[in-house]
């Protein structure tokens, strides 16, 4: 196998950077057809050299890799590499045979990184069957690991493709990797399982959540794994399982994952964990709290241990630096605060939101809504001063930060909201969330965010079946929904209706409709005395298990209603937009933002 091949986190980062930075070239390499023909040569050395050449031509570090990948697929390269790998692994393969098969898998790995080929590859039952088989039965570590990498690539974008892979038997095969002693295999097993459980209402969540030995294995990996990527993927897996069946999050708590997650987010440790670990750990805790409440995840003991961690996290994640992982930490920390505050606030007197009419205050009190400022107060936290340390390119001038933000929003981030890679989308949402946090109170900064293209892209994201994409999109909508100038755009684009559908609260639908009519009229304040505000769900004692559709994924938003974290964020977002409308109608300087702590 060629030396120096990018692997692990570097490979993932390389794929993200190249997808964002390079446009695919129109022309593939000359001579590709000849190389493909040499793969079937009877000369063994010539055949192996041809496969190696195909790997080089389709490698992600090559500028025209996408064109070569598409051209190779058009020439039947997927089936060719599959047949080649099968032939080399049948019977009693020699070391040379295994190396040749592994090289074919590397070519398939390159092809699987191209989203234009995903559906074709994920629907190739022969390919999936082979990959699953070698993951479970092949002895050579590299072959097993690279087979898993192909499946990881195929499942990073679409829950439908995740379902194709799961139906082929990838879940038990990934569990086999999870139980191996070799760290590289464990990493790929955790990575694949985190993808297979990412879809709303997917069957893999119930399958894994019911297996106590699997949950104990996840706990041990959180405690003892020395690989940050593995820890991050396991945190994502725990978060996904907590979103599913009611028994899953209860079992997760019983096996002891909460103390392990707390250690991962402790900012006071000598070896602070990387942001890519802290962010999913925070979301996993938020999902556990939203699903089961404080009594399930530790009550006062959890509060006393968690709050100091959150204070430290808010202090080091308040910089807009262009670091997507750090932005994810800030957004995840706010999400956890949203989930914790209603339980801690029970029985405590809260200072009301100032500047609101009395009848609106009464409705808010009845609904159980808690603003971000109130949430910080009941948790004993202080809001940090958000600092825009770097906003894109330094364009100079007295208002360069606005120009920088405009460049970052319009040029760098907006295109990524339509990316096929779910991780790219959530990173873009997190960075936009952090920019909104810093600029929301600045008049010129607000204009940067009043962007019709941004609103349209967000509306499309709310139809996603990917849990992380939904969570990030809802958090961003909440951030933007606190800006009165943006609310008409959110309503007209259908975002309010989409959020209402995710919250699954009929009174919310009536409220949203009422607010929409008032906005379109452009005059009197909405009649808030007729329709109650949606109550934020402070506790879900017995959430109903998801009812997967035939393909194991969300259908007509049915399963998403049983995701407690999505439900919580959707309901808060609706109230945020409602309060922003009130602010616009009454022209009051009131504290309405719920997601940025303004």
């Amino acid at each position: 196998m060629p030396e120096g091949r990018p692997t692990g986190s570097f490979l993932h980062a390389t794929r993200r950077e190249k997808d964002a930075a390079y446009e695919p070239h129109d022309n593939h390499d000359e001579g590709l057809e000849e190389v493909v023909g040499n793969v079937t040569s009877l000369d063994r050395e010539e055949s192996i050299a041809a496969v190696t050449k195909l790997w080089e031509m389709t490698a992600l570090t090559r500028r025209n890799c996408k064109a070569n990948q598409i051209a190779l697929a058009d020439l039947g390269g997927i089936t060719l590499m599959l047949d080649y790998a099968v032939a080399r692994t049948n019977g009693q393969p020699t070391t040379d045979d295994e190396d040749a098969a592994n090289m074919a898998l590397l070519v398939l790995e390159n092809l699987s990184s191209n989203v234009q080929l995903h559906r074709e590859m994920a629907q190739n039952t022969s390919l999936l069957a082979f990959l699953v088989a070698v993951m479970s039965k092949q002895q050579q570590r590299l072959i097993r690991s690279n087979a898993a990498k192909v499946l990881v690539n195929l499942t990073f974008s679409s829950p439908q493709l995740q379902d194709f892979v799961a139906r082929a038997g990838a879940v038990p095969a990934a569990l086999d990797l999870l139980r191996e002693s070799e760290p590289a295999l464990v990493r790929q097993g955790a990575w694949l399982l985190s993808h297979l459980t990412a879809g709303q209402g997917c069957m893999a969540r119930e399958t894994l959540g019911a297996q106590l030995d699997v949950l104990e294995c996840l706990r041990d990996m959180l405690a003892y794994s020395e690989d940050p990527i593995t820890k991050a993927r396991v945190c994502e897996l725990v978060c996904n399982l907590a979103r599913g069946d009611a028994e899953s999050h209860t079992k997760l708590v019983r096996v002891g994952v909460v103390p392990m997650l707390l250690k991962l987010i402790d900012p006071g440790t000598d070896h602070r964990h990387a942001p890519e670990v802290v962010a999913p750990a925070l979301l996993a805790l938020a999902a556990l709290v939203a699903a089961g409440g404080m009594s399930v995840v530790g009550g006062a003991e959890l509060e006393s241990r968690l709050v100091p961690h959150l204070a430290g996290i808010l202090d080091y994640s308040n910089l807009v630096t262009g670091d997507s992982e750090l932005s994810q930490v800030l957004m995840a920390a706010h999400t956890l605060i949203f989930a914790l505050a209603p339980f801690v606030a029970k029985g405590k007197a809260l200072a009301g939101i100032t500047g609101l009419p009395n009848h609106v205050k009464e409705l808010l009190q009845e609904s159980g809504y808690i603003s971000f400022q109130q949430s910080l107060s009941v948790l004993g936290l202080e809001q940090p001063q958000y600092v825009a340390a770097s906003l894109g390119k330094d364009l100079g001038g007295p208002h360069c930060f606005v120009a920088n933000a405009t460049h970052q929003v319009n040029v760098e981030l907006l295109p990524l909201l339509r990316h096929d890679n779910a991780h790219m989308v959530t990173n873009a949402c997190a960075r936009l969330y952090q920019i909104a946090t810093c600029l929301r109170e600045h008049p010129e900064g607000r204009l940067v965010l009043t962007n019709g293209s941004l609103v349209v892209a967000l509306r499309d994201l709310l139809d996603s079946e990917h849990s992380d994409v939904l969570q990030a999109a809802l958090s961003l909508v909440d951030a933007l929904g606190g800006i009165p100038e943006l609310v008409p755009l959110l309503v007209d684009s259908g975002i309010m209706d989409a959020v209402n559908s995710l919250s699954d609260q009929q009174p919310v639908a009536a409220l949203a409709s009422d607010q929409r009519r008032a906005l379109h009229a452009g005059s009197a304040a909405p009649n808030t005395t007729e329709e109650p505000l949606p109550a934020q769900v402070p506790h879900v004692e017995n959430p109903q298990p998801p009812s997967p559709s035939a393909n194991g994924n969300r259908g007509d938003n049915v399963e998403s209603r049983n995701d407690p974290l999505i439900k919580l964020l959707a309901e808060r977002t609706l109230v945020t937009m409602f309060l922003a409308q009130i602010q616009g109608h009454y022209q009051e300087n009131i504290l309405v933002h719920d997601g940025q702590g303004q």
Side-chain angles (χ1 to χ4, degrees):
M1 186 181 72
E3 296 294 331
R5 188 177 73 87
T7 57
S9 59
F10 178 78
L11 176 61
H12 191 59
T14 301
R15 178 183 305 123
R16 287 182 296 167
E17 291 169 2
K18 291 185 71 61
D19 282 352
Y22 297 148
E23 291 296 327
H25 285 216
D26 293 332
N27 299 321
H28 60 77
D29 287 349
E30 294 182 5
L32 179 62
E33 293 86 351
E34 181 181 355
V35 177
V36 169
N38 290 339
V39 172
T40 58
S41 172
L42 296 178
D43 186 322
R44 185 182 185 86
E45 291 186 1
E46 184 178 27
S47 175
I48 293 176
V51 176
T52 303
K53 183 63 176 177
L54 289 178
W55 173 78
E56 294 173 353
M57 298 171 78
T58 58
L60 302 183
T61 52
R62 200 179 188 97
R63 285 187 63 90
N64 67 335
C65 64
K66 292 184 178 180
N68 285 338
Q69 291 161 3
I70 297 297
L72 178 56
D74 290 342
L75 292 170
I78 297 173
T79 300
L80 180 64
M81 290 299 100
L82 172 61
D83 292 343
Y84 187 91
V86 170
R88 292 295 183 271
T89 54
N90 277 341
Q92 298 294 326
T94 65
T95 301
D96 289 341
D97 287 329
E98 291 178 337
D99 289 343
N102 192 58
M103 185 56 65
L105 282 172
L106 294 179
V107 176
L108 288 171
E109 182 185 344
N110 288 342
L111 296 179
S112 67
S113 69
N114 192 315
V115 294
Q116 293 178 261
L117 304 176
H118 274 184
R119 186 159 296 275
E120 177 185 355
M121 296 183 72
Q123 290 182 309
N124 188 326
T125 55
S126 298
L127 173 63
L128 297 185
F130 171 73
L131 295 173
V132 169
V134 297
M135 280 173 57
S136 301
K137 301 175 182 178
Q138 179 59 231
Q139 295 299 314
Q140 192 188 76
R141 176 185 64 81
L142 282 176
I143 290 182
R144 299 180 69 189
S145 178
N146 287 323
K149 288 179 182 179
V150 176
L151 295 179
V152 166
N153 283 349
L154 290 180
T155 53
F156 70 59
S157 62
S158 167
Q160 286 86 0
L161 303 188
Q162 293 160 11
D163 183 62
F164 291 150
V165 174
R167 288 184 176 188
V171 173
L175 285 176
D176 289 342
L177 298 184
L178 205 63
R179 299 184 177 104
E180 291 287 341
S181 59
E182 174 60 45
L185 294 178
V186 174
R187 174 193 292 183
Q188 295 307 320
W191 209 327
L192 181 53
L193 288 173
S194 73
H195 284 194
L196 294 177
T197 56
Q200 290 282 292
C202 61
M203 292 296 295
R205 289 182 180 177
E206 294 185 14
T207 301
L208 295 177
Q211 301 181 46
L212 193 61
D213 61 325
V214 173
L215 305 185
E216 291 173 344
C217 179
L218 298 180
R219 174 203 61 202
D220 294 342
M221 291 171 66
L222 291 174
Y224 303 117
S225 176
E226 297 181 357
D227 179 26
I229 298 176
T230 299
K231 284 182 180 288
R233 302 293 88 81
V234 172
C235 287
E236 292 171 359
L237 179 53
V238 170
C239 183
N240 290 339
L241 296 182
R243 297 171 184 264
D245 186 89
E247 291 188 16
S248 298
H249 62 76
T250 302
K251 289 180 179 178
L252 283 166
V253 173
R254 288 176 179 172
V255 300
V257 299
V258 173
M260 303 302 105
L261 292 171
L262 288 174
K263 291 180 181 179
L264 296 180
I265 67 170
D266 185 356
T269 56
D270 294 334
H271 303 286
R272 179 187 294 174
H273 290 281
E276 66 180 7
V277 177
V278 175
L282 288 166
L283 284 180
L285 285 168
L288 287 168
V289 173
M294 290 288 284
S295 60
V296 175
V297 294
E301 180 182 356
L302 174 64
E303 180 186 347
S304 64
R305 297 178 59 189
L306 181 56
V307 170
H309 296 352
L310 283 174
I313 287 170
L314 290 177
D315 283 339
Y316 81 73
S317 65
N318 65 336
L319 299 178
V320 177
T321 62
D323 184 341
S324 298
E325 302 294 349
L326 198 61
S327 301
Q328 289 271 18
V329 171
L330 178 67
M331 188 169 65
H334 286 187
T335 302
L336 180 54
I337 289 171
F338 297 160
L340 284 171
F343 305 105
V344 181
K346 287 182 177 179
K348 294 184 179 181
L350 300 177
I353 302 177
T354 61
L356 290 175
N358 289 332
H359 66 276
V360 176
K361 292 181 181 179
E362 293 174 0
L363 288 173
L364 288 176
Q365 185 175 3
E366 293 174 2
S367 73
Y369 176 79
I370 302 175
S371 72
F372 188 74
Q373 289 284 11
Q374 293 170 327
S375 299
L376 292 174
S377 176
V378 298
L379 292 172
L381 297 170
E382 294 184 3
Q383 177 184 328
Q385 180 65 47
Y386 298 112
V387 179
S390 172
L391 284 176
K393 298 180 179 179
D394 186 4
L395 304 180
H399 300 290
C400 63
F401 74 94
V402 175
N404 294 343
T406 302
H407 174 87
Q408 202 168 80
V409 171
N410 294 331
V411 178
E412 297 181 15
L413 299 177
L414 184 56
L416 296 182
L417 292 181
R418 299 189 181 279
H419 204 283
D420 292 288
N421 187 329
H423 189 70
M424 292 283 286
V425 174
T426 56
N427 275 345
C429 286
R431 287 180 61 189
L432 287 165
Y433 182 93
Q434 202 173 40
I435 290 173
T437 297
C438 287
L439 299 186
R440 182 182 172 277
E441 290 302 311
H442 192 283
E444 293 181 69
R446 290 154 68 116
L447 293 178
V448 174
L449 300 168
T450 310
N451 186 317
S453 298
L454 172 61
V455 171
V456 171
L458 273 177
R459 172 62 187 86
D460 293 340
L461 292 182
L462 293 176
D463 287 331
S464 174
E465 297 176 355
H466 197 289
S467 296
D468 289 343
V469 171
L470 276 178
Q471 175 265 321
L474 281 170
S475 294
L476 180 54
V477 171
D478 178 74
L480 301 177
I483 301 176
E485 298 93 327
L486 259 173
V487 176
L489 286 174
L490 298 176
V491 173
D492 292 341
S493 67
I495 281 183
M496 183 173 278
D497 289 336
V499 174
N500 174 54
S501 178
L502 290 171
S503 72
D504 190 28
Q505 294 288 320
Q506 292 306 314
V508 173
L511 177 64
S513 177
D514 185 59
Q515 300 306 313
R516 185 163 54 252
R517 287 193 300 270
L519 282 176
H520 289 168
S523 55
N527 183 7
T528 54
T529 60
E530 295 182 2
E531 298 289 351
L533 279 172
Q536 179 189 343
V537 180
H539 194 114
V540 181
E541 295 287 355
N542 295 296
Q544 295 299 313
S547 304
S549 57
N551 66 356
N553 293 305
R554 180 170 63 89
D556 296 327
N557 284 334
V558 173
E559 285 77 18
S560 68
R561 297 169 182 172
N562 294 307
D563 184 330
L565 196 56
I566 296 301
K567 185 181 181 68
L568 180 147
L569 290 172
E571 292 182 345
R572 292 189 67 87
T573 300
L574 284 170
V575 179
T576 298
M577 287 190 282
F578 170 72
L579 289 177
Q581 293 177 62
I582 295 296
Q583 180 184 14
H585 282 294
Y586 286 92
Q587 297 297 309
E588 296 271 352
N589 183 23
I590 56 176
L591 300 174
V592 298
H593 181 59
D594 181 42
Q596 272 80 263
Q598 299 295 335

